[in-house]
Amino acid sequence: EIYGAKKLCLVVFENNPAALHCYKAVGFKETGIAEKYKLKDEEWTCIEMEMNRAKKIIETERLILREYTTDDFAALYEIMSDEETMQHYPAPFDEEKTRGWIKWNLENYEKYGFGLWAVVLKETGEFIGDCGITIQNIDGELLPEIGYHIHKKYWRRGFAKEACPCCPGLGFHKYGLQRDLFLHEIHKRRFLFNSHCNRHAESKGIS
């Protein structure tokens, strides 16, 4: 978790790929070259990096789920503007709607404590979609819904199946949602929280 500042900045040596990888995995992005140095006849390049405040929610074997930041716009727009990905929506999103999607989720974090979270690959730090819980009006009843969007180049790799089971456990144990029924976006049906999700949540210390 990152507290306090709205934006964090750092400088890291380009010649240290392990450090670059670690910072990218938690959301830092390169913003430019700060300076070059000669150390023991070897040239070292310092890279400027920065990130907006992004609270990590949970980790899985291959993924990190964290809160959205405005820095996610370009990667999200690539997903939401794609016709195939958005075939179940009235139309793909333009830039305004994509920015509105991020804003809506930031507002949901403030209002409910949860929303759709950015899905990031642990290995590379790449943003590949979102997954999480939203409150939907279903036949006049406000119900939690699990939803997700994954970049189509990562379809059929099990990322949605890996991310979605975390959501009921988070909802029940961390955010106090009722345990009875959730509405699943794909099947448009309610489903009971299963013991596998419960064990997964408990193993992550969410209780």
Side-chain angles (χ1 to χ4, degrees), residues 13-16 33 35-46:
F13 283 116
E14 184 182 42
N15 308 55
N16 187 347
I33 295 176
E35 201 166 348
K36 293 189 176 184
Y37 297 92
K38 278 274 191 180
L39 297 174
K40 295 182 179 180
D41 297 324
E42 185 178 356
E43 186 175 83
W44 289 69
T45 302
C46 288

Side-chain angles (χ1 to χ4, degrees), residues 123-136:
E123 186 175 354
T124 63
E126 181 183 357
F127 175 103
I128 65 166
D130 63 15
C131 178
I133 309 167
T134 60
I135 299 297
Q136 303 289 339

